[in-house]
Amino acid sequence: MTDQSYRQHKGVRLVEAGPPDLALSRAMLRSDKLIAATEAADTALWSVCPETGETWFSDMWYVALGYEVGAFEPSFDVFLELMHPDDRAGTIAAFEDLLAGRVDKYTADFRLRSSAGDWCWIGAVGNKVDRSAEGLPFIVSGMQMDITRRKQTEARLEELAQQAYDSHHLLDRLAENTPVSLYEFRISAQGKVSVPYMSRSFMRLAGVTEEQAVHEPEAIFAAIHPDDVPVILDNIEYSRRNLTHFKQRYRVTDHEGGWLWVQAISKPMRLEDGSTTWHGSLYDVTAEVAREHELSRARDKALQLQAEMSRLALTDGLTGLPNRRHFDAWLDARRKKMMRGSTDSPAILIRNDLDRFKYVNDTLGHAAGDAVLRHVAKVIEQCIDPSDFPARLGGDEFAILIGERRSIEDAQKTVEDIRERLSEPFLFEGKTCRFGASFGVAAASDAETLAGDLLSFADAALYEAKSLGRNRVEVFTTELHNEILEARHLAGEIEFGLEQEEFEPFFQPQVCAQTGALVGIEALARWRSSKNGLIQPMRFIEIAEQIRATAAIDEMILRKTKTIVANWREAGFTPPKISFNVSTGRLRDPGIALSASALQAQGIQVAFELLESILLESQDELSSYTLDLVRDAGILIEVDDFGTGHASILGLQRVRPNALKIDRQLINGIEDGGAARELVQAIVHIARALSIETIVEGVESEAQAAILRDMGCDHLQGFLYAKPLCADDLLAWHEARTANQRQFSARPGA
């Protein structure tokens, strides 16, 4: 094979810048093994003779750039034309440094334009080859390869490094401008501590320098409060073992010798080398802890206040005993224990209130009354068993729920102890307070009775004690139970009677004591029951008062009387005055005066009869206001059953009634003279002194009427003249009486 055919076969081309340099050609031909090896490694070879300009490129030189082999004649100028303009100066300078001997090796990275028009990064190296022994000029020979991928990788790495640098500085700037301090904490598999990163604010909070963080990472624990270090180390170890979040509040020293509260929060991560690293934040929570402490103190105070308010809500403010609300709750708790079967002991209740307590208030004042109540409460607390539950239910009413496992006999013994202590003189400001106490005892052996009846059973026993003379104790019995059942039945009947309008007025005349002329009538309530016929007030009035139905009965009597009076007027009868009984509930109704206006408008004088105890002893602001309205409406006020209570002269002057009705109990003995007659006479004298009329009820004989007339009584009422009559019977009585008077007047000499 000739040299030419060999060159063509190997892809070697010679470019003659002048006469062919046969020595350069022979040198290239001797490099055929080098050419094969470099092409296999994607490396291109080149040579250039600076003196002659002769240039040679291996085939790979073209292939690497995507050109056809021999697509252009190799020359240094063509090489520069293919080079990126920004890289030419540097490449030429590097080549000149080699030619000038300033460097021993030519190295350059530059970009060449590929056949596709894009830029490929090329890395080239070359050396000078001395040919003086052959009498030829030196050449520069070298190799080059495509380093585009390496350059791209380097660029990417540089970009990533810049991003990391920027991120690091951004993180530092953010950390310095936020209240959060950042850190990375690491423990190697061997247990060595390091702090790869911490923000400057972390260093300030932890009290360490950057140098300490690198060389003495344990120094971050030196600034922590000694009491907190063991807890922190335990939590770090727990977080390392279980890879759970580390969250800890602790104290670190500040620059002034005090303590700051900080909170660290971080999440652990296990690395391939077995170490554990935490990336987290640390921030100053001193103000937050202070607020929490303040809130905690405020919450404690609120809880104390709430507890105190709860205690006050369940405590009687005067005596310090549990109040009615607390008593009801305690009773309900006992009932629930019975329902659950937690106790098989009966619930035993003592009810008591004071006798003549109102007398203490009226004679010595309310301060004395309060002192008595406190004294009674103290006596009760001293006499009861620790398992008993005492309470003040209101006013002068007290209750004691006997503790479990205690008997009726224990309750009676407790009552006797209390009575004995209360019988001792009690002084208030040097004055003796005279009062007694009545007690009722009842028991409930099942939850149903305890829930609904125990209190009413004890009340019934208490009422029995009072009715039998006061200052005694009574135990609830079967007979009392039957009375309660009967009362409940009657209460239901009364409510039904009100719904059916079964209550109606009966009327009893009142006459002038001197002339016998009709001066008025009293409207009295009767119950014409559809089941039981006509029922007298003594059968139902007490129960009606207990269920607060008397006001409704009073209103019905007044309303029906208006209709009856209208019928009487058509028959030619108009009574000069009608008196109505008014209960406590009715007295507190400001509309009571208006309800009587229709009768007043018909020229009939209306009078309201009020019990002595209501009118003179139990006045409140609303009752006084209503009385003023009654007087302004021209309605008369009469004191009913006068002489049976404890009314005082001052009380009469304060109320200023128009008439006193002397109770029938005071009339029974006046025929025999003595104290009864003197008492009635005294009442009449008092009434005249106060310009108050007197009406005597219960007059049953002419002898009584004559005595009362001689005493100076104004009006008389009783069976001597007529019993209470229904509307029709009263009209007939009036007509018959009028006819008799006419016959008497027509007699000669009359």
Side-chain angles (χ1 to χ4, degrees):
M1 180 180 292
T2 63
D3 291 344
Q4 180 67 27
S5 63
Y6 178 79
R7 290 196 297 272
Q8 291 176 350
H9 172 71
K10 300 303 293 181
V12 177
R13 295 180 61 80
L14 291 175
V15 177
E16 299 176 356
D21 186 345
L22 298 178
L24 177 61
S25 299
R26 284 194 295 270
M28 295 300 100
L29 289 174
R30 287 196 299 270
S31 303
D32 56 343
K33 293 182 179 180
L34 177 62
I35 293 172
T38 55
E39 288 181 349
D42 293 334
T43 302
L45 300 177
W46 54 268
S47 294
V48 60
C49 179
E51 183 176 333
T52 65
E54 186 179 15
T55 304
W56 172 79
F57 296 155
S58 69
D59 290 351
M60 184 55 66
W61 199 97
Y62 295 94
V63 173
L65 295 174
Y67 294 105
E68 292 289 336
V69 175
F72 46 81
E73 293 295 331
S75 69
F76 197 76
D77 292 337
V78 170
F79 169 68
L80 291 177
E81 288 179 3
L82 292 174
M83 187 178 296
H84 194 287
D86 295 343
D87 301 337
R88 289 172 187 168
T91 302
I92 293 173
F95 198 77
E96 289 178 347
D97 286 343
L98 178 68
L99 295 181
R102 289 189 288 271
V103 296
D104 295 333
K105 180 186 291 186
Y106 161 75
T107 58
D109 291 346
F110 47 82
R111 286 163 288 181
L112 297 180
R113 186 172 59 249
S114 70
S115 62
D118 52 1
W119 298 100
C120 295
W121 275 98
I122 304 296
V125 296
N127 290 306
K128 290 186 353 181
V129 179
D130 185 10
R131 297 191 298 173
S132 59
E134 300 177 17
L136 297 174
F138 73 90
I139 63 173
V140 177
S141 179
M143 64 181 62
Q144 69 185 43
M145 62 185 303
D146 189 336
I147 61 171
T148 303
R149 183 171 297 176
R150 178 169 67 84
K151 282 290 186 179
Q152 290 175 342
T153 301
E154 290 176 353
R156 180 58 180 161
L157 289 174
E158 185 177 351
E159 179 184 354
L160 291 175
Q162 185 63 42
Q163 289 178 356
Y165 176 83
D166 293 343
S167 297
H168 177 82
H169 284 272
L170 177 60
L171 190 60
D172 271 351
R173 290 195 299 273
L174 289 174
E176 288 304 307
N177 288 282
T178 62
V180 178
S181 302
L182 305 179
Y183 67 90
E184 180 182 357
F185 178 78
R186 185 174 298 174
I187 300 178
S188 69
Q190 294 75 33
K192 184 178 179 181
V193 173
S194 61
V195 187
Y197 171 78
M198 63 174 66
S199 64
R200 286 190 292 275
S201 58
F202 180 91
M203 298 178 197
R204 289 193 296 271
L205 277 179
V208 296
T209 64
E210 188 171 3
E211 183 178 355
Q212 286 177 313
V214 175
H215 301 292
E216 303 175 60
E218 292 85 356
I220 61 176
F221 294 101
I224 300 175
H225 194 287
D227 294 345
D228 297 338
V229 172
V231 179
I232 293 173
L233 294 177
D234 288 344
N235 288 342
I236 289 175
E237 178 58 23
Y238 182 86
S239 177
R240 186 188 68 81
R241 286 199 312 268
N242 301 285
L243 294 180
T244 56
H245 277 75
F246 173 82
K247 185 175 182 180
Q248 180 73 44
R249 277 188 180 182
Y250 55 90
R251 290 159 290 179
V252 297
T253 184
D254 62 13
H255 301 297
E256 299 178 357
W259 295 99
L260 298 176
W261 277 95
V262 297
Q263 178 159 304
I265 301 176
S266 59
K267 182 178 181 181
M269 181 175 62
R270 193 89 71 209
L271 303 182
E272 293 181 359
D273 62 0
S275 63
T276 306
T277 185
W278 287 263
H279 298 93
S281 61
L282 184 76
Y283 54 98
D284 187 341
V285 293
T286 304
E288 182 179 342
V289 170
R291 284 195 299 272
E292 289 177 358
H293 288 171
E294 185 62 30
L295 286 174
S296 178
R297 288 192 292 270
R299 184 164 50 248
D300 290 342
K301 289 182 180 179
L303 290 175
Q304 293 173 1
L305 179 60
Q306 183 178 3
E308 180 64 14
M309 291 178 65
S310 298
R311 187 190 68 80
L312 292 175
L314 299 174
T315 303
D316 176 57
L318 177 63
T319 65
L321 290 178
N323 59 15
R324 178 61 182 264
R325 180 181 177 187
H326 199 178
F327 173 79
D328 290 342
W330 195 271
L331 205 63
D332 187 57
R334 186 72 171 272
R335 178 186 65 82
K336 289 177 179 177
K337 288 188 70 174
M338 279 188 171
M339 292 178 63
R340 293 193 303 266
S342 303
T343 179
D344 56 0
S345 298
I348 302 171
L349 179 64
I350 300 172
R351 280 277 288 109
N352 75 284
D353 65 12
L354 304 183
D355 302 326
R356 299 186 301 278
F357 177 69
K358 190 175 186 310
Y359 177 78
V360 174
N361 274 333
D362 290 346
T363 58
L364 301 180
H366 289 285
D370 291 346
V372 166
L373 293 175
R374 286 192 292 267
H375 171 67
V376 172
K378 184 177 180 180
V379 168
I380 289 175
E381 288 184 304
Q382 292 173 344
C383 294
I384 62 175
D385 186 81
S387 64
D388 297 342
F389 183 83
R392 181 190 177 205
L393 303 186
D396 61 338
E397 300 178 7
F398 296 85
I400 305 168
L401 184 62
I402 297 299
E404 295 181 47
R405 306 301 177 188
R406 292 192 7 106
S407 64
I408 286 285
E409 290 74 18
D410 294 326
Q412 290 176 304
K413 176 62 169 58
T414 299
V415 170
E416 291 304 324
D417 291 344
I418 295 173
R419 288 183 63 209
E420 183 178 352
R421 290 288 305 276
L422 292 181
S423 65
E424 299 172 1
F426 175 71
L427 299 178
F428 176 74
E429 296 181 350
K431 298 177 182 178
T432 301
C433 299
R434 303 185 184 280
F435 62 93
S438 298
F439 297 82
V441 181
S445 57
D446 59 88
E448 183 177 355
T449 302
L450 175 58
D453 296 320
L454 181 60
L455 194 58
S456 61
F457 287 173
D459 283 341
L462 174 63
Y463 181 79
E464 183 73 5
K466 284 184 171 295
S467 65
L468 293 176
R470 301 177 182 270
N471 196 29
R472 57 185 292 139
V473 57
E474 290 293 328
V475 178
F476 183 75
T477 62
T478 303
E479 291 75 14
L480 287 176
H481 189 196
N482 292 335
E483 290 179 8
I484 289 176
L485 294 178
E486 182 180 352
R488 288 181 180 176
H489 176 74
L490 185 59
E493 293 291 330
I494 290 173
E495 292 177 351
F496 178 80
L498 285 171
E499 293 175 0
Q500 300 300 315
E501 300 260 331
E502 292 181 351
F503 293 91
E504 64 180 64
F506 270 47
F507 305 94
Q508 188 172 30
Q510 296 172 345
V511 301
C512 176
Q514 303 301 322
T515 66
L518 180 68
V519 294
I521 58 176
E522 180 183 3
L524 301 166
R526 295 292 184 269
W527 179 11
R528 197 177 295 279
S529 170
S530 58
K531 297 180 181 180
N532 303 307
L534 189 65
I535 302 175
Q536 298 295 321
M538 61 183 302
R539 285 272 317 276
F540 66 82
I541 198 65
E542 182 178 339
I543 303 300
E545 289 175 351
Q546 292 178 9
I547 65 173
R548 302 181 186 278
T550 51
I553 294 174
D554 290 347
E555 187 278 330
M556 187 176 296
I557 297 304
L558 178 57
R559 175 165 45 83
K560 287 188 174 183
T561 298
K562 294 177 185 177
T563 303
I564 291 171
V565 168
N567 295 333
W568 284 345
R569 288 173 65 84
E570 291 181 3
F573 171 54
T574 302
K577 182 188 75 169
I578 301 180
S579 301
F580 295 93
N581 291 290
V582 176
S583 61
T584 305
R586 187 74 169 136
L587 181 61
R588 290 192 172 95
D589 179 9
I592 187 174
L594 183 62
S595 63
S597 60
L599 289 174
Q600 293 277 99
Q602 298 178 39
I604 298 176
Q605 178 64 62
V606 175
F608 285 164
E609 292 186 11
L610 295 97
L611 291 175
E612 175 186 350
S613 58
I614 295 175
L615 189 59
L616 303 181
E617 299 181 18
S618 303
Q619 281 201 73
D620 54 24
E621 184 176 347
L622 181 57
S623 299
S624 298
Y625 171 72
T626 306
L627 284 177
D628 290 339
L629 292 180
V630 168
R631 292 191 187 94
D632 293 343
I635 298 171
L636 303 180
I637 297 174
E638 299 175 353
V639 179
D640 197 10
D641 296 340
F642 187 80
T644 60
H646 306 284
S648 64
I649 302 299
L650 293 177
L652 287 174
Q653 289 181 315
R654 182 179 67 250
V655 175
R656 297 176 285 111
N658 299 97
L660 301 179
K661 290 195 72 175
I662 301 175
D663 189 79
R664 67 181 68 243
Q665 298 179 53
L666 302 178
I667 305 304
N668 293 333
I670 63 171
E671 295 179 61
D672 301 329
R677 186 177 298 186
E678 291 178 1
L679 179 59
V680 174
Q681 185 67 70
I683 294 174
V684 173
H685 287 327
I686 292 172
R688 283 185 176 178
L690 297 175
S691 300
I692 300 174
E693 289 187 342
T694 53
I695 304 172
V696 182
E697 58 182 355
V699 180
E700 297 182 356
S701 67
E702 287 289 354
Q704 290 176 336
I707 294 171
L708 294 170
R709 187 181 305 114
D710 292 341
M711 286 183 179
C713 294
D714 296 304
H715 304 145
L716 306 177
Q717 176 181 343
F719 282 10
L720 175 62
Y721 307 104
K723 64 180 181 180
L725 303 169
C726 67
D728 292 341
D729 290 346
L730 180 68
L731 181 60
W733 173 87
H734 172 67
E735 291 175 348
R737 195 164 188 270
T738 302
N740 289 337
Q741 288 177 346
R742 289 172 181 168
Q743 291 176 2
F744 179 78
S745 299
R747 291 178 184 176

